[in-house]
Amino acid sequence: MIAKPEPSSPAVDAALAVLRAHGPLTSEDWAEMLADAGHGPAPELLETVELLDDPSLVVLVDGRRALIDTLLEGRVFTHRVGDREIASGLLHAEPDLAPLVLSVVAAEDGPVRALFPDYDADELDALGVADADLPDGAVLHVGTDALRGFSDGDVLAVRVRGGALALSAVDGALEPADLRAAFDRVIGEDNADNLETVVWQLLADDADLFVRPTVPLGELIDAAGYDREGSYLAAHGFDFAAHHFASHIAMVARENDLHPDEVNAVISFVDLVAEVTVDGLDLDAATLRVASDPEAFAGLEDPAAAGAALDVVGGFEEDQMPALYTAALAIADRAPRRVKASGHWLAGMAADSLGDVREAERHFEDAAAMNEEWTPALFELAQIASDRGDAQRGLSLLSRIDGGDTERLHAVLQRFAPADHPELGRNDRCWCGSGRKYKVCHLGKTDATLDDRAHWLYEKAALYAQSTSLFDLVFALADLRADGLDGEDAAARAFEDPLVLDAALFEGGLFALFVARRGMLLPADELDLAGRWLLARRSVHEVVAADGAAATLRDLRTGESVDVTCAQPLAVGDVVCARVVPTGERTQILGGAVPVPASRRDDLLAVLSADTVEPEDVIARLADI
């Protein structure tokens, strides 16, 4: 196996030099040229170049590789500036300047910066730019000085010289350019493609294109009879919604390794959900719809296909959950028998999302009864058993799953499984001294104290937050956290960072959602504890005393002191950002403690003192500490 080449290694430098001199190139031609230059055997070099990851490396529509700086060198794009752009020094990149964005990102330390509203909100706020003034795509921060002397509607030319952007006013007439034939060739009448990629392909194909100031790209697109939706470009009248749906289905099919009949069943189910949503089909009508062609849904028999159907529907609006529930009930009722377990599981997942965990449990039980090896239903039932505090039942359910003993839930349940007391009969007095019979007091129940079970409660919420339907927030925060970490394993380490999960649970609202949906299952003392956790705020604490796992912290926001237990060692004088929560007899730190340098304390305290604290703000402030 060929290792992924290290950034800025001699192998990478040599490969990029060849591509810069001879590109654009196919991977095969690129590897052959490197082999001819004496860098190794072509087969090994082929894998090397295909694994090469460089911010300036792009893939064209025809599959060839190119470097963005060489593609753009000497090219010029124009843009009609507006008053808000002149006042802020921010140019709206899409569509006119979209082909330049990646080159700005790759340059990193250049005078022009690419900012994205979804990721650079703080920097944009600092520039005094309101959300209402921002486009959906990227903006180029060129500064107000660069636009001094421009008026609303003036044409700005942005030329690439030596890898840098040179800005100037266009005084003369703009050259026309007919892109219709080029778009037809690259995109085709019945397809859509990424705007930037399409333009890069045109640059690779035509050395004379965009070498002099032309009409702005957005106007050329309109004149060519093409439409835009977001970053996609297609011929006028193209059905973007159908294209996005087909692309999503294809991606899901690849991820789940679905066969054609399974893909068709997923599409049939998604269409049924859409009919319930749009046409207002009730359960009777949906059931008749399934009964009219039950074999259309036969491919949902496999759990992977049912999971894919849930994934596709979950990728649309949240208000589709009632329609998903209705469609799933119809499948459970009238689809072929081998598909009914899938129908009940889908109904259970929808019911859980709608806040009815008891109804969800009933459907999971039905799914498991119809197919005793239906893994997803067994796992959901094991998680529900865990939420109830029934470790024995949870372990029993996991034992019916191939590989169930490798699940994170299994390790949690093993930790809190009740101890055996073979010396006691069911009707003997319980060992705990309560005076009640063993069978009604501690038989099958954990011996752990509430302080210990607080860790179980936290794990229950964590497992719920990392479920398929809620994972997006955790993923986004981990991705943001990874920006502050070095190394190829940055993403994996970010997922393991306790801060990411804790911010998703509390500032992100997933713990409140867990309590709302699963609180009725929790033991009474854990439910009370969960309510107290919802009132606890993250803060910055100074360690004023420490002895092993015990420490005394002073909250720098409130001035209050508290004795805590923490899994990680703390020393007197340390200042940490943490959430301190009651756990029974003790007070603990369950979501990790992040050391905070003196230079960052005031800024962090200001963020954490706000009435509403966003999880992204927490991660962003702590990511590079």
Side-chain angles (χ1 to χ4, degrees):
M1 179 178 179
I2 305 299
K4 183 178 179 180
E6 292 291 332
S8 301
S9 68
V12 169
D13 294 340
L16 295 182
V18 167
L19 189 61
R20 182 166 282 110
H22 302 285
L25 296 170
T26 65
S27 296
E28 291 76 11
D29 289 344
W30 191 6
E32 288 290 347
M33 287 188 175
L34 282 168
D36 291 343
H39 293 288
E44 291 184 8
L45 290 169
L46 177 60
E47 189 167 354
T48 296
V49 298
E50 289 184 339
L51 289 172
L52 198 152
D53 183 19
D54 186 273
S56 61
L57 186 64
V58 299
V59 180
L60 304 181
V61 175
D62 63 13
R64 289 182 295 167
R65 307 292 190 89
L67 291 172
I68 190 66
D69 55 349
T70 57
L71 274 181
L72 293 175
E73 183 62 31
R75 311 294 181 135
V76 57
F77 293 87
T78 61
H79 175 66
R80 300 185 194 277
V81 296
D83 286 335
R84 288 178 175 173
E85 293 174 301
I86 296 168
S88 66
L90 295 169
L91 299 175
H92 297 182
E94 294 186 0
D96 299 335
L97 307 177
L100 302 172
V101 172
L102 182 60
S103 68
V104 175
V105 173
E108 293 185 349
D109 298 327
V112 177
R113 294 196 58 227
L115 301 176
F116 300 84
D118 289 343
Y119 299 101
D120 301 303
D122 289 343
E123 189 165 349
L124 292 166
D125 286 344
L127 293 171
V129 180
D131 288 346
D133 297 334
L134 294 173
D136 291 333
V139 292
L140 299 180
H141 185 205
V142 299
T144 54
D145 288 346
L147 300 179
R148 183 169 288 123
F150 280 86
S151 300
D152 184 52
D154 286 352
V155 178
L156 169 74
V158 183
R159 186 181 296 276
V160 181
R161 290 176 175 163
L165 302 186
L167 280 61
S168 62
V170 178
D171 296 325
L174 297 170
E175 286 196 2
D178 186 355
L179 300 182
R180 177 61 180 268
F183 284 160
D184 288 349
R185 172 176 51 80
V186 173
I187 302 173
E189 294 184 2
D190 300 320
N191 192 27
D193 214 326
N194 179 271
L195 168 61
E196 298 176 22
T197 308
V198 168
V199 175
W200 295 336
Q201 181 71 52
L202 300 189
L203 298 180
D205 293 344
D206 188 348
D208 295 325
L209 185 62
F210 295 121
V211 295
R212 289 171 293 278
T214 65
V215 173
L217 179 58
E219 297 173 28
L220 294 177
I221 291 171
D222 293 339
Y226 273 69
D227 295 333
R228 283 190 314 113
E229 183 180 276
S231 60
Y232 281 86
L233 189 64
H236 181 66
F238 183 79
D239 190 340
F240 282 101
H243 174 77
H244 296 328
F245 176 70
S247 298
H248 187 46
I249 286 287
M251 179 189 70
V252 170
R254 288 193 301 272
E255 290 177 348
N256 294 278
D257 194 23
L258 302 185
H259 299 301
D261 60 331
E262 293 171 336
V263 173
N264 291 334
V266 170
I267 293 172
S268 295
F269 182 76
V270 173
D271 286 345
L272 177 60
V273 173
E275 289 180 49
V276 174
T277 303
V278 177
D279 299 334
L281 297 186
D282 60 14
L283 179 56
D284 289 340
T287 301
L288 288 174
R289 165 72 176 79
V290 174
S292 67
D293 187 11
E295 288 300 320
F297 304 94
L300 293 177
E301 173 186 5
D302 190 278
L310 179 65
D311 181 33
V312 174
V313 175
F316 300 122
E317 300 298 325
E318 288 187 7
D319 61 6
Q320 294 238 34
M321 283 300 111
L324 170 63
Y325 183 62
T326 298
L329 290 179
I331 295 294
D333 186 24
R334 299 304 295 271
R337 179 171 176 76
R338 63 186 186 277
V339 185
K340 291 182 182 293
S342 293
H344 280 295
W345 176 77
L346 286 165
M349 297 300 286
D352 192 24
S353 293
L354 293 169
D356 192 344
V357 67
R358 297 192 189 282
E359 179 71 3
E361 183 179 24
R362 184 177 69 80
H363 283 292
F364 296 145
E365 293 280 12
D366 287 344
M370 290 180 171
N371 184 344
E372 61 182 18
E373 296 181 353
W374 222 85
T375 299
L378 294 173
F379 186 83
E380 293 298 330
L381 289 170
Q383 194 156 313
I384 288 173
S386 174
D387 292 343
R388 282 201 173 98
D390 192 344
Q392 276 191 332
R393 173 166 165 75
L395 289 169
S396 175
L397 287 160
L398 289 178
S399 70
R400 295 165 58 185
I401 299 175
D402 186 22
D405 58 350
T406 65
E407 293 286 347
R408 174 180 170 184
L409 177 59
H410 187 276
V412 173
L413 294 175
Q414 283 278 44
R415 177 181 174 186
F416 294 101
D420 290 331
H421 289 275
E423 76 281 4
L424 294 178
R426 292 172 57 85
N427 293 314
D428 290 341
R429 298 300 177 188
C430 188
W431 59 266
C432 72
S434 67
R436 292 183 295 173
K437 292 181 179 181
Y438 180 43
K439 67 181 180 182
V440 297
C441 189
H442 265 93
L443 179 61
K445 299 177 183 177
T446 181
D447 303 343
T449 66
L450 181 57
D451 283 300
D452 292 331
R453 284 187 287 116
H455 294 271
W456 192 1
L457 173 60
Y458 194 91
E459 286 289 347
K460 294 172 185 180
L463 288 165
Y464 194 75
Q466 293 175 328
S467 62
T468 303
S469 59
L470 301 177
F471 188 60
D472 285 351
L473 176 59
V474 182
F475 180 86
L477 293 179
D479 192 44
L480 182 60
R481 178 71 181 97
D483 289 343
L485 301 175
D486 297 323
E488 291 186 5
D489 63 343
R493 285 157 52 211
F495 274 110
E496 296 297 323
D497 189 334
L499 173 67
V500 169
L501 178 60
D502 200 66
L505 283 172
F506 291 94
E507 284 84 5
L510 296 186
F511 188 80
L513 183 63
F514 166 75
V515 174
R517 291 182 177 177
R518 295 293 181 93
M520 66 180 67
L521 301 178
L522 298 174
D525 54 355
E526 290 185 24
L527 180 58
D528 177 70
L529 192 61
R532 296 164 67 190
W533 287 5
L534 289 171
L535 301 177
R537 297 190 58 164
R538 192 183 309 277
S539 192
V540 180
H541 304 267
E542 180 184 7
V543 182
V544 296
D547 182 12
T552 301
L553 308 183
R554 182 170 65 88
D555 190 330
L556 298 185
R557 181 167 56 86
T558 66
E560 298 176 354
S561 294
V562 62
D563 295 328
V564 304
T565 301
C566 182
Q568 64 192 80
L570 297 174
V572 173
D574 287 349
V575 175
V576 297
C577 179
R579 180 184 305 281
V580 176
V581 296
T583 58
E585 297 296 325
R586 302 195 302 269
T587 302
Q588 301 187 48
I589 296 174
L590 298 183
V594 181
V596 180
S599 61
R600 305 293 293 275
R601 294 173 195 172
D602 290 344
D603 178 50
L604 185 56
L605 278 169
V607 170
L608 299 180
S609 298
D611 292 339
T612 301
V613 181
E614 299 296 335
E616 293 82 5
D617 290 339
V618 173
I619 299 298
R621 291 302 191 283
L622 295 173
D624 57 352
I625 290 179

